[in-house]
Amino acid sequence: MNPTPDLLQLRNSLNEQGILLCFNGPLSRSIIEEMGVAVRGYLESEAMAKGQVADIFSVYIEQVQNIRQYAARRATDPADLQRLNAAIVTIRRRDEQYTVSAGNLVEHRDVPELEERLRLLERLDPAELKQLYKETLKKPRSGGGAGLGLINMARTSRRPLAFSFQPLDQRFVFFALSAEL
Amino acid sequence: MSALNIAATTSTPAVVWRPETGSLEISGESYPENALEFYEPILAAVAEYLRRPETALHLEFNVRYLNTSSVKAVMDLLDLAEEAHQRGAGVAVVWLHDADDDRALEVAEEFCEDLTLPFTIKALPAGEVK
């Protein structure tokens, strides 16, 4: 029996959706760095404006680091940490628009606060987002995390952050977040 | 007081701190997972230095990208400098960035928005950026 996974199907699916780069697996510091180098390298080879490369890179880093922080906060043991660090990250191009997306596991109990925060960000205009960013910057450091990073992503994106929550099982919901640049 | 000489890594900047002259240089990239942990010894060294009267402090930044937790840490550092400036110490900040990167310029401009200390932003032609 052929040990190859259905690569043609996977390739077609990725191509149809304009996905240029995709990572699926547990995030670690080194994977984040290595993927980051690959992302930048790829975007630079596309002769993209440096500011736009910076935006895409920034949104990518904030998304994956938020997942790492969340995983560290909620994991109950090393195996659980591995499960929580598991993410799917894509960078997609449609026409000239790039979309950086990430999906990870979030516990049911964390959904209301996360959703509320995202809905708040949705309603703010660029000036208000900047104001919120500055206020949050001044606050003393809290354990939290998805504060500044999320606000910065909202500021960097051209449109409000797109998100969805899909229940998976008793403990987890699949949270997907996208930033269009 | 001891000097600091931290080598750059993929996600953390090179840091050179010379307490004899009060000169701090941070260059490279800054996106460690835990920026607070990375910047803590730097903040501590500068805070200790600033306890002496009549100190001069010169900060130079040449960082391509800062994640938000690094922005927070750098803001804390700049707040220390601002405080010293308002007390009459000779403080100056120089921020270098790639001339072709308009996002990097925006980051620099935002840092100096609420500061009164001398803050110079210099655009480096691509060849000179670290």
Side-chain angles (χ1 to χ4, degrees):
Chain A
M1 185 179 150
N2 192 337
T4 315
D6 196 336
L7 292 178
L8 186 57
Q9 189 193 62
L10 203 51
R11 177 183 178 271
N12 289 341
S13 175
L14 293 169
N15 285 345
E16 274 158 33
Q17 298 180 84
I19 292 171
L20 308 171
L21 296 162
C22 177
F23 172 82
N24 180 46
L27 293 169
S28 68
R29 283 178 216 213
S30 62
I31 284 177
I32 288 174
E33 279 179 11
E34 286 156 29
M35 222 191 328
V37 169
V39 165
R40 258 201 192 145
Y42 178 88
L43 297 175
E44 281 164 359
S45 74
E46 295 286 292
M48 189 183 281
K50 285 184 180 177
Q52 195 180 12
V53 175
D55 283 348
I56 294 169
F57 185 75
S58 159
V59 163
Y60 156 74
I61 290 290
E62 295 300 338
Q63 285 196 293
V64 293
Q65 289 190 335
N66 271 353
I67 294 169
R68 287 273 302 169
Q69 261 174 350
Y70 179 77
R73 209 166 91 226
R74 284 288 181 240
T76 53
D77 59 49
D80 201 40
L81 183 61
Q82 188 85 330
R83 188 179 312 130
L84 282 158
N85 269 324
I88 179 160
V89 182
T90 62
I91 298 184
R92 174 192 199 189
R93 182 180 62 212
R94 274 258 161 93
D95 306 313
E96 290 312 304
Q97 183 135 288
Y98 286 80
T99 305
V100 181
S101 307
N104 68 304
L105 301 179
V106 164
E107 290 184 345
H108 282 273
R109 59 172 153 162
D110 294 315
V111 172
E113 195 197 315
L114 185 52
E115 186 167 9
E116 195 189 308
R117 216 185 287 224
L118 288 162
R119 295 227 179 272
L120 165 72
L121 293 175
E122 233 172 30
R123 295 192 291 267
L124 303 179
D125 66 32
E128 290 167 326
L129 282 171
K130 178 173 176 172
Q131 180 61 22
L132 181 61
Y133 182 76
K134 288 189 132 177
E135 283 167 15
T136 310
L137 205 51
K138 288 197 178 80
K139 286 195 187 138
R141 227 168 254 280
S142 67
L148 272 180
L150 218 47
I151 302 168
N152 202 48
M153 276 172 53
R155 291 184 71 190
T156 311
S157 308
R158 289 204 197 143
R159 288 217 266 269
L161 302 175
F163 58 94
S164 66
F165 296 100
Q166 290 163 254
L168 287 181
D169 56 37
Q170 269 206 307
R171 184 182 175 198
F172 290 124
V173 162
F174 181 75
F175 168 58
L177 182 67
S178 288
E180 291 170 272
L181 303 153
Chain B
M1 281 184 291
S2 41
L4 284 175
N5 229 302
I6 306 171
T9 69
T10 308
S11 58
T12 59
V15 179
V16 180
W17 163 242
R18 294 189 188 90
E20 332 80 66
T21 51
S23 148
L24 178 66
E25 281 169 31
I26 298 179
S27 62
E29 301 273 5
S30 185
Y31 55 98
E33 219 162 64
N34 191 340
L36 178 62
E37 204 177 87
F38 179 81
Y39 281 92
E40 203 275 322
I42 302 163
L43 284 160
V46 172
E48 192 199 335
Y49 172 81
L50 289 174
R51 278 194 268 278
R52 295 152 79 204
E54 303 205 18
T55 42
L57 180 67
H58 188 265
L59 308 182
E60 186 185 281
F61 296 88
N62 185 355
V63 184
R64 181 177 174 183
Y65 167 70
L66 297 102
N67 61 359
T68 52
S69 66
S70 294
V71 169
K72 170 83 183 136
V74 167
M75 202 63 239
D76 288 345
L77 188 54
L78 291 173
D79 284 344
L80 281 179
E82 175 69 14
E83 225 172 54
H85 167 72
Q86 294 197 7
R87 270 190 279 116
V91 176
V93 175
V94 174
W95 194 288
L96 307 168
H97 71 93
D98 182 331
D100 295 332
D101 189 346
D102 55 357
R103 192 66 61 250
L105 172 59
E106 276 176 29
V107 168
E109 288 173 338
E110 269 198 26
F111 269 121
C112 78
E113 258 171 27
D114 301 320
L115 300 172
T116 64
L117 55 75
F119 194 113
T120 311
I121 300 173
K122 283 189 190 163
L124 295 174
E128 291 172 39
V129 176
K130 279 191 187 147

